[in-house]
Amino acid sequence: MAEVLSQSEIDALLSALSSGEIVEDDVLKEEEKQKVKLYDFRSPQKFSKDHIRTLELIHDNFARIIANFLTAQVRSNVKVNIVSVQQITYEEFIHSIPNPTIMTIFRMNPLNGSILFETNPQFVNQILDVLLGGNGSRKFKLREFTDIDKNIIKKINTGLLNNLKLAWEDIMEVSIEVDGIETNPALNQTLAPNEPVALITFSVEMGKSSSFINLCIPYLSIEKFLDKLVVQYWFQSSDDESVKISRELIKTRLNVVDVSLSAVLGSAKITVDEFLKLSVHDVITLDNTCTSPVTVKVENENCYLAKPGLLGKNFGITILDFIDKDVETDE
């Protein structure tokens, strides 16, 4: 937060400006220096704005899905909203969550490595209270979780994580495998402290209380699939079926279009004088022999080589080959 000046300091600053002791440009330059954002080269931003935006879109959908799931589980209205999506280090994430807490370690194939799903103690205790007969409105003390607590919340978290399949289906098909749960964040050494992670934070409103849950996706897990985390790719891939249908419709309409077709037996060059002296029954020698294939043109474009002949009482041609068949142009 910027420092607030007292009235005496403001008067002294105005006096210095009027007397010339301080130049206005110096003050503006100082303000510009304060606007400069520091960049830590030890922890570079590996997730671009497009990646963060796509992750936000995916997990905003995930928030709506798990809100319906939790509502069905606790028989009460539950609202889940995405709060933030940001890149931090794994060490910062571990230090930001309480101890004890419930950390579900799972794999989301085909992504690499382990992903962490942290449920706040307030959220866990409220869910446990409702499932065990309470109304979830009482105050909870921070305590160690029992084996019964862990087994119950593991089933709930597994159900929550399985909904990631629906949230990610527009990007890729994923499968969820829960490896286990951990209550002490400091004991979970799955990543290096400086490893960048994408932290997605959700707020959960149940009754009159609110709690938080976090999804921690390491950069190493998603590195090979970063090209898919682009909004343009997402909408393009989700629209593949409609594009395919449109192409078939266009192809069907093009099939009924009339085109001109002509077979060129050969060509010859004559002078203007020879042209003026032409008369009936004169013979012009072409540059093509009678045994050589003729060129077939479609809309004045050379397309085929053919053999001339008779088709009943009519002249006809038999297609022998394509012209420039190895060259494709999409103009």
Side-chain angles (χ1 to χ4, degrees), residues 30 45 67 78 104 123 203 286:
E30 186 65 27
Q45 296 294 317
V78 179
T104 305
F123 170 82
S203 65
L286 302 178

Short mmCIF file of all heavy atoms in Angstrom, two decimals, residues 30 45 67 78 104 123 203 286:
data_model
loop_
_atom_site.label_atom_id
_atom_site.label_comp_id
_atom_site.label_asym_id
_atom_site.label_seq_id
_atom_site.Cartn_x
_atom_site.Cartn_y
_atom_site.Cartn_z
N GLU A 30 9.96 9.34 -10.48
CA GLU A 30 9.96 8.54 -9.26
C GLU A 30 8.67 7.71 -9.17
O GLU A 30 8.69 6.55 -8.77
CB GLU A 30 10.07 9.46 -8.03
CG GLU A 30 10.23 8.71 -6.71
CD GLU A 30 11.52 7.93 -6.64
OE1 GLU A 30 12.50 8.33 -7.30
OE2 GLU A 30 11.54 6.89 -5.94
N GLN A 45 7.76 -17.16 -15.06
CA GLN A 45 6.36 -17.44 -15.33
C GLN A 45 6.25 -18.40 -16.52
O GLN A 45 6.38 -18.00 -17.66
CB GLN A 45 5.61 -16.14 -15.61
CG GLN A 45 5.58 -15.18 -14.45
CD GLN A 45 4.77 -15.73 -13.27
OE1 GLN A 45 3.70 -16.29 -13.46
NE2 GLN A 45 5.30 -15.58 -12.08
N ALA A 67 -20.47 -28.56 -7.48
CA ALA A 67 -21.52 -27.95 -6.66
C ALA A 67 -22.77 -28.83 -6.66
O ALA A 67 -23.39 -29.06 -5.61
CB ALA A 67 -21.85 -26.55 -7.17
N VAL A 78 -25.35 -26.14 -2.01
CA VAL A 78 -23.92 -25.85 -1.93
C VAL A 78 -23.53 -25.04 -3.16
O VAL A 78 -23.88 -25.40 -4.29
CB VAL A 78 -23.07 -27.15 -1.86
CG1 VAL A 78 -21.59 -26.81 -1.80
CG2 VAL A 78 -23.48 -27.98 -0.67
N THR A 104 -5.35 -34.83 -0.99
CA THR A 104 -5.56 -36.03 -1.78
C THR A 104 -4.57 -36.03 -2.94
O THR A 104 -4.56 -35.10 -3.74
CB THR A 104 -7.01 -36.09 -2.32
OG1 THR A 104 -7.92 -35.98 -1.22
CG2 THR A 104 -7.25 -37.40 -3.05
N PHE A 123 -13.84 -27.13 5.58
CA PHE A 123 -14.68 -27.85 4.62
C PHE A 123 -14.83 -29.31 5.04
O PHE A 123 -15.95 -29.86 5.01
CB PHE A 123 -14.04 -27.74 3.23
CG PHE A 123 -14.67 -28.63 2.19
CD1 PHE A 123 -15.82 -28.26 1.54
CD2 PHE A 123 -14.09 -29.86 1.87
CE1 PHE A 123 -16.40 -29.07 0.58
CE2 PHE A 123 -14.66 -30.68 0.91
CZ PHE A 123 -15.81 -30.29 0.26
N SER A 203 -13.97 -21.41 -3.68
CA SER A 203 -14.69 -21.12 -2.44
C SER A 203 -15.94 -22.00 -2.40
O SER A 203 -16.63 -22.16 -3.41
CB SER A 203 -15.08 -19.65 -2.36
OG SER A 203 -16.00 -19.31 -3.37
N LEU A 286 -1.17 -31.60 -87.10
CA LEU A 286 -1.09 -31.26 -85.67
C LEU A 286 0.25 -31.70 -85.10
O LEU A 286 0.97 -32.50 -85.72
CB LEU A 286 -2.24 -31.94 -84.91
CG LEU A 286 -3.67 -31.60 -85.38
CD1 LEU A 286 -4.69 -32.37 -84.56
CD2 LEU A 286 -3.93 -30.10 -85.28
#
